[in-house]
Amino acid sequence: MQEIPFCLRVGHLLPYSMSDSNTTDFTNPSTFILLGIPGLEAAHVWISIPFFTMYAIAILGNFTILFIVKMEPSLHGPMYYFLCMLAVSDLILCTSILPKTLSIFWFNSKEINFSACLTQMYFIHCFLLMDSGILVAMALDRYVAICDPLRHSTTLTNSVVAKISLAVVLRSGLLVLPYLLLAKRWPYCRTNIIPHTHCEHMAVVKLACADTRVSSYYGLFVIFCVIILDVFFIAVSYTQILRAIFGLPTKDARLKTFGTCGSHLCAILAFYIPGLFSSLTYRFGQNVPLHFHVLMANMYLLVPSMLNPIIYGVKTKQIRDRLLQLFTHKGI
């Protein structure tokens, strides 16, 4: 059996030639090899400690949010329904990458089935887009609650919230579907090694021995025409919110309202800034060290999932009070 050449740097893959005896055509590879963090293999066990810690906090925090909202009838409102959607999305997102990443770090289990790789890629990008859509929905809720509070209950009814939620889910699922379909049809005849901890879209596409500009352009389209639009709508909402806050009659009212919105802004910044950096670095950051990019890509997926329940749990009075009641009751 011919030996498949292993190329460690995606940007310097061997050119494909049918006459080259060192290259094997595996248009439908049965498995890909995930390297983990190239260049930092010796530190994988140590790197796994903060990764596992963030994952544990994300799991515990998001399940706590879901439990408290379910158990407390006063939290059955639009803001908390969207918060529960965000918690579920974050749970699925971090669970789609961390178990495999930790198996690489702990057990050197680097193989991943071709179909499983594409499925992981779909889940990652689908739930990233879903997070973005949910943040837009939460910004809309805050806008109505602060700028037009008397009409909040009649504007954001349960049916409207359900329709918004369905639109967010459908948008994410349908927009990411071309990622999967295009990646599945490319011929992979260079190498099956992915220098990453998970099957990121561009990391997989760069292994193909075909003109993959369609995938690259579509990825940029999703980034700029969807994410940028989401950021624009969020910016418009919070501009109006800030104007309403500074128009409040008393300083205490302004501080209280701004404190609530401040937590949302922190979650929004933690989500969009690293994500935009990671996406653009993969396409244009040829001089960025590969291990740094892989670490940033993991932080982008893990940190918001960990921070969201902390930010919303600590800064949202109803959730904080309910959580203290649970601990106080158990203590008694």
Side-chain angles (χ1 to χ4, degrees):
M1 181 181 293
Q2 281 185 313
E3 182 183 348
I4 297 171
F6 288 156
C7 234
L8 299 185
R9 297 191 59 180
V10 172
H12 296 81
L13 295 173
L14 297 173
Y16 174 67
S17 171
M18 291 299 291
S19 60
D20 188 351
S21 61
N22 291 325
T23 305
T24 301
D25 182 3
F26 43 99
T27 303
N28 295 305
S30 59
T31 59
F32 282 123
I33 307 296
L34 293 168
L35 291 183
I37 305 177
L40 298 179
E41 289 86 355
H44 273 178
V45 173
W46 295 106
I47 295 171
S48 71
I49 296 174
F51 275 40
F52 177 77
T53 302
M54 287 188 286
Y55 181 51
I57 293 172
I59 294 294
L60 179 62
N62 284 296
F63 269 119
T64 300
I65 293 290
L66 292 172
F67 176 76
I68 289 176
V69 173
K70 183 180 186 303
M71 297 299 295
E72 181 56 53
S74 65
L75 300 180
H76 293 177
M79 181 64 194
Y80 302 102
Y81 292 148
F82 292 138
L83 183 56
C84 286
M85 279 188 67
L86 186 65
V88 172
S89 180
D90 284 341
L91 283 170
I92 297 174
L93 181 60
C94 61
T95 302
S96 67
I97 64 163
L98 250 294
K100 182 58 183 177
T101 299
L102 293 176
S103 72
I104 295 171
F105 290 167
W106 291 342
F107 311 114
N108 203 34
S109 176
K110 297 182 177 182
E111 290 191 1
I112 183 169
N113 182 272
F114 179 72
S115 298
C117 183
L118 295 185
T119 302
Q120 185 188 56
M121 180 184 73
Y122 180 82
F123 269 71
I124 291 170
H125 293 280
C126 177
F127 285 96
L128 279 175
L129 279 188
M130 199 175 297
D131 273 7
S132 181
I134 295 167
L135 290 175
V136 174
M138 295 174 80
L140 173 64
D141 173 81
R142 290 300 84 199
Y143 167 76
V144 177
I146 293 172
C147 298
D148 197 4
L150 296 179
R151 297 178 59 187
H152 182 261
S153 59
T154 57
T155 302
L156 290 175
T157 61
N158 286 342
S159 63
V160 171
V161 170
K163 290 175 183 176
I164 293 173
S165 302
L166 182 61
V168 168
V169 173
L170 289 177
R171 185 191 75 157
S172 305
L174 293 176
L175 281 174
V176 177
L177 191 58
Y179 283 8
L180 181 67
L181 299 177
L182 288 170
K184 193 171 183 179
R185 69 183 289 268
W186 299 131
Y188 297 92
C189 52
R190 290 171 172 169
T191 178
N192 63 343
I193 289 185
I194 302 175
H196 215 300
T197 56
H198 55 266
C199 293
E200 203 273 342
H201 174 238
M202 287 307 299
V204 173
V205 167
K206 284 186 175 183
L207 299 185
C209 58
D211 186 354
T212 59
R213 283 180 294 180
V214 174
S215 288
S216 184
Y217 291 156
Y218 183 74
L220 288 173
F221 164 78
V222 172
I223 291 173
F224 288 106
C225 293
V226 178
I227 302 301
I228 298 301
L229 278 177
D230 286 356
V231 172
F232 172 75
F233 286 128
I234 290 172
V236 169
S237 296
Y238 276 94
T239 299
Q240 297 300 316
I241 288 169
L242 290 175
R243 288 179 60 185
I245 288 174
F246 289 120
L248 292 174
T250 65
K251 183 179 179 180
D252 288 343
R254 288 194 295 269
L255 289 174
K256 182 179 179 181
T257 309
F258 185 78
T260 302
C261 293
S263 62
H264 298 195
L265 288 172
C266 289
I268 289 165
L269 293 175
F271 177 79
Y272 284 110
I273 292 176
L276 189 60
F277 174 82
S278 179
S279 297
L280 295 179
T281 298
Y282 227 117
R283 290 168 173 82
F284 308 114
Q286 287 81 9
N287 296 324
V288 178
L290 186 56
H291 65 269
F292 178 76
H293 172 72
V294 175
L295 283 170
M296 280 299 299
N298 280 279
M299 291 300 102
Y300 165 50
L301 296 175
L302 281 174
V303 171
S305 299
M306 176 190 70
L307 287 181
N308 285 339
I310 296 174
I311 290 172
Y312 291 111
V314 171
K315 296 296 291 184
T316 305
K317 185 178 185 299
Q318 293 93 326
I319 293 178
R320 187 173 66 246
D321 290 347
R322 180 59 175 165
L323 189 60
L324 288 174
Q325 287 176 12
L326 288 174
F327 281 113
T328 303
H329 180 72
K330 288 182 178 180
I332 292 173

